[in-house]
Every structure is written in C-alpha cells, then in structure tokens.
Amino acid sequence: AVERTLSIVKPDATRRNLTGKINARFEEAGLRIVAQKRIRLTREQAEQFYIVHAERPFYGELVSFMISGPVVVQVLEGENAVARNREIMGATNPANAAPGTIRKDFAESIEANSVHGSDSLENAATEIAYFFSGTEIVG
Ligand code: CMP
C-alpha cells in the first residue's frame, strides 16, 4: 500500500551539507518528498518527539544533539514507505548498517546517525502530525 513516513535529516548531516545527497537516496529508491522544511527544533520539541526514549541513558545527549543545528523534517510517500525508508537508512548504529545505506555511507556515530525515520505506520502518523498540517503535505 502507499504509505507516508516521517523523515528527519539530522544536525550532523545538515552541518556537512548532505541534505541533497540524502534526498537523492530517497528519490532514487522511489520515495517522493511530499513535504519538507528546514527548522531548528526547540529543546521542548526534541524532548517531546523522543519522549519514548526518556528513560534511556542516551536521552539527554540525544536531545542536545538534535538541537545542536538545523534539521530538515520531511514526509516521504510511496509503496511501503515506512519499511522502505528503514531499508534506505540502514541500521541505527552505522557500524551495523548494510553497504549502500545512508547511515553506512554518511553517519558519524550511533547518535549522529544522519537520519531519523518512523518505525511503524502508527508512529508515522503521529510523527507527521507533530510537524506538518494537512495543507503542508502535497502528494
Ligand atoms: P533514531 O532512529 O532517531 O531514534 C533514536 C535515536 O537515539 C537514534 O536514532 C540515535 O540518534 C540515538 N541514539 C543514541 N544512542 C543510541 C543507542 N545506544 N541506541 C539507540 N539509539 C541511540
């Protein structure tokens, strides 16, 4: 089925001017960028976005990292977009990511791993609504 998923180009990637190269990976794989904006997350936005990780030891550092520079939040649309995007990104830890994936090729560390992607269709809907109104998404 055609799905939508939330993607974030993280501060380590925007800092190294990799937004275009990352977007090319999505487009070449058949995903369409149907919404996109470059923003600076507030601490409160980053804390809320990653609230499911609040008890994890890396939560504080993750929030600090996500507000350390601009991010590009985007909605990707396509057949099986949630799973497809996770394939394109590769494993969370770049050390475990498959060749040819974004994280293998661009990520700096398990934290500065260049991209975020929704992990389920249900979370995708929540995460998309967190950043975009309906009229900002143009399919
Ligand atoms: P993301 O897919 O955005 O989801 C949670 C983020 O926490 C993850 O990518 C990493 O940027 C970050 N993170 C830092 N340390 C860890 C860790 N040990 N395990 C999982 N995620 C981590």
Side-chain angles (χ1 to χ4, degrees):
V2 174
E3 298 173 352
R4 287 175 174 174
T5 190
L6 185 87
S7 168
I8 305 179
V9 180
K10 295 187 180 185
D12 67 287
T14 61
R15 177 170 48 77
R16 288 175 290 149
N17 224 12
L18 291 170
T19 303
K21 283 188 172 147
I22 289 171
N23 281 353
R25 300 289 180 102
F26 300 140
E27 293 186 338
E28 283 160 8
L31 295 181
R32 189 173 293 275
I33 302 164
V34 294
Q36 175 167 262
K37 56 190 169 190
R38 180 172 165 110
I39 59 175
R40 209 175 251 275
L41 296 177
T42 65
R43 178 170 289 277
E44 292 67 30
Q45 272 180 312
E47 285 173 350
Q48 186 58 40
F49 183 79
Y50 280 121
I51 197 74
V52 296
H53 296 305
E55 303 307 319
R56 307 284 287 275
F58 57 81
Y59 180 65
E61 280 194 11
L62 172 61
V63 169
S64 296
F65 164 63
M66 290 299 291
I67 65 174
S68 68
V71 298
V72 178
V73 293
Q74 43 194 197
V75 179
L76 307 180
E77 182 182 86
E79 194 65 32
N80 298 318
V82 174
R84 189 81 192 91
N85 184 38
R86 293 182 70 76
E87 289 171 7
I88 299 163
M89 291 191 297
T92 303
N93 185 347
N96 302 329
T101 61
I102 290 172
R103 285 165 169 164
K104 180 68 172 186
D105 292 346
F106 299 131
E108 295 181 323
S109 67
I110 191 169
E111 174 180 270
N113 63 356
S114 300
V115 281
H116 166 82
S118 306
D119 64 1
S120 69
L121 194 55
E122 187 187 3
N123 285 340
T126 307
E127 292 182 1
I128 289 168
Y130 194 68
F131 289 112
F132 293 98
S133 66
T135 55
E136 290 179 307
I137 304 169
V138 182

